[in-house]
Amino acid sequence: MNTSVSAAREATGFRTFTVMDGEALVLRAPTPYPIRTAFGTMHDRPAVLIRITDETGTVGWGEVWCNFPSVGAEHRARLINSILLPLLKGRTVENPEAIFAELSSRTRLLALQSGEAGPFAQAIAGVDIALWDIAAKRLGKPLWQVLGGRGAPQVPAYASGINPEAPERVVEAQHARGFRAFKLKVGFSRETDLENAARVRAVIGPDMPFMVDANQAWDLDKAIEMARALEPFAPQWLEEPLAADRPLSEWQTLAQKTTIPLAAGENLRGLSSFDEMVQSNAVGVIQPDLAKWGGVSGCRRAAQRILEAGRRYCPHFLGAGVGLLASAHLLKAAGGDGMLEVDVNDNPLQRELLPPFPEIADGSVKLPSEPGLGIVPREETIARYRTL
């Protein structure tokens, strides 16, 4: 049993509060170059932030996953403003977990009817993060402590979002910044993927952690072929080599055909889905995304089950600074040997939005010491990039 997460589940002493107001905001920041994955390209950096205020004026912030499709951010914000916040305003909150369950239940049929289970889950996740931010602020403690975390206020991190164009240059720059682990995007072509893996490994040497992410690019036969071809570069994990909806039997077959541990989980919804993945014994690194499903309430339970089963919990995240901070707090509270995913592509909605943004030092991120998430978004930055 992971005691820190267990303690978080049984946490008491919340100070009841009432939701008085809230809104979802859409921000879009330009990017100097596109962010490429095997399934699509981001031409700007979107973010949906949620701001909730209680009766004392305490403000909580959350973030919703919204990278794809390109119009997804505005749609998710409208779901929040037109459906979720009217359900929430005036509601007394004794524990954010109860509100997470209530919102999930009250919108279940609407999500089914509209065929939008994913967007609803993402919107609820963002609301949940904001409520936990308020709850921790009301207690006067950093969120990771409220969730039962112990020890030094830092978590190991890795540089993510490394595009296929000249990845060795990015790795060199991020190593100088303080990163000591790196994840390369693959899934483009065999020649490109293997050449880039060789370049990255040559830069970092034989011992530094290196991971690859295929973003669901391959079928089973191609995944087996590419996994075997990537083995000489000794990745710590191969992430999403198969589509998230492929049967677990295919993941089990792939796991038997390669020495590289498999990683997945960012596109799962619900504790039962994580339980099935854990029980399959096919995936060694499991990666819930708290802005895609679960928020803090759902993902801390998933983390507990992952760690109790002897798997590695490494939260997935690729967005703005609010969700990244929330992921760091949850990782610290969960314990284990997981690493925080930090998108290293230029994004004003991280550092510019949340100064002073935590820096990387010798491969770790230091968490803020202030209550809640610990950093408040700058209103000037919100005004500069807000589109809705």
Side-chain angles (χ1 to χ4, degrees):
M1 169 82 63
N2 184 280
T3 56
S4 63
V5 179
S6 178
R9 286 185 64 182
E10 304 301 327
T12 58
F14 286 106
R15 295 179 180 173
T16 299
F17 61 90
T18 301
V19 175
M20 300 303 293
D21 199 6
E23 63 177 337
L25 325 171
V26 176
L27 311 183
R28 285 190 179 273
T31 184
Y33 51 85
I35 311 302
R36 292 181 59 196
T37 70
F39 59 81
T41 301
M42 297 171 62
H43 295 281
D44 63 12
R45 304 309 304 267
V48 175
L49 304 183
I50 301 174
R51 174 167 48 198
I52 294 177
T53 307
D54 74 359
E55 78 281 7
T56 69
T58 302
V59 177
W61 289 91
E63 182 176 346
V64 177
W65 184 92
C66 64
N67 292 334
F68 296 97
S70 60
V71 296
E74 288 77 10
H75 176 57
R76 286 158 177 78
R78 291 186 173 104
L79 286 179
I80 295 161
N81 287 331
S82 65
I83 298 172
L84 296 184
L85 289 178
L87 293 175
L88 198 58
K89 287 181 181 179
R91 182 72 166 79
T92 297
V93 179
E94 296 179 354
N95 187 320
E97 280 196 350
I99 302 300
F100 173 79
E102 180 181 321
L103 289 178
S104 299
S105 175
R106 293 186 67 177
T107 60
R108 186 179 73 86
L109 294 182
L110 182 56
L112 287 172
Q113 184 68 27
S114 62
E116 294 200 276
F120 270 93
Q122 294 150 17
I124 293 170
V127 169
D128 183 81
I129 295 168
L131 295 179
W132 276 102
D133 189 24
I134 292 177
K137 286 174 177 173
R138 294 285 296 251
L139 291 171
K141 298 179 180 180
L143 179 58
W144 65 271
Q145 289 185 357
V146 172
L147 296 174
R150 301 288 184 269
Q154 63 184 36
V155 291
Y158 68 91
S160 180
I162 300 174
N163 282 349
E165 292 79 21
E168 69 277 11
R169 297 179 187 173
V170 177
V171 168
E172 288 174 342
Q174 296 305 320
H175 184 273
R177 182 182 166 192
F179 283 100
R180 299 295 180 264
F182 307 88
K183 187 171 75 179
L184 171 71
K185 288 190 175 297
V186 296
F188 300 99
S189 72
R190 178 186 174 92
E191 180 182 8
T192 296
D193 293 346
L194 298 182
E195 182 177 329
N196 282 340
R199 288 177 175 178
V200 172
R201 182 52 83 189
V203 168
I204 64 176
D207 300 321
M208 199 168 289
F210 165 58
M211 295 77 70
V212 289
D213 184 356
N215 289 120
Q216 310 183 79
W218 303 318
D219 61 18
L220 179 58
D221 289 341
K222 186 66 173 180
I224 293 171
E225 173 196 337
M226 289 304 300
R228 287 174 170 169
L230 287 164
E231 284 176 0
F233 306 107
Q236 282 205 354
W237 71 68
L238 170 57
E239 186 169 330
E240 287 202 316
L242 303 170
D245 63 352
R246 298 308 302 161
L248 284 171
S249 60
E250 290 192 4
W251 291 84
Q252 291 168 324
T253 297
L254 177 58
Q256 293 168 0
K257 299 290 186 178
T258 180
T259 60
I260 306 173
L262 304 183
E266 67 184 83
N267 289 307
L268 297 183
R269 292 193 306 272
L271 285 174
S272 61
S273 295
F274 288 102
D275 287 341
E276 290 173 0
M277 179 167 282
V278 166
Q279 292 161 10
S280 74
N281 292 318
V283 179
V285 182
I286 304 181
Q287 305 166 300
D289 187 322
L290 87 175
K292 262 192 166 183
W293 172 82
V296 174
S297 293
C299 284
R300 69 172 183 166
R301 291 181 179 271
Q304 179 188 30
R305 298 184 185 192
I306 291 165
L307 292 169
E308 287 178 346
R311 308 296 187 272
R312 194 176 188 188
Y313 164 60
C314 289
H316 175 273
F317 189 75
L318 194 77
V322 173
L324 179 58
L325 279 174
S327 299
H329 281 272
L330 185 55
L331 176 60
K332 176 61 185 176
D337 65 346
M339 294 186 290
L340 179 69
E341 179 172 22
V342 180
D343 172 23
V344 297
N345 292 288
D346 184 62
N347 187 356
L349 304 183
Q350 286 186 6
R351 291 188 179 190
E352 185 180 333
L353 180 66
L354 295 169
F357 199 72
E359 295 295 335
I360 305 296
D362 196 26
S364 293
V365 171
K366 185 175 181 180
L367 292 168
S369 58
E370 291 77 13
L373 294 177
I375 295 180
V376 177
R378 294 178 68 230
E379 292 295 337
E380 304 96 300
T381 304
I382 290 175
R384 180 177 301 120
Y385 296 113
R386 187 172 179 180
T387 62
L388 180 68

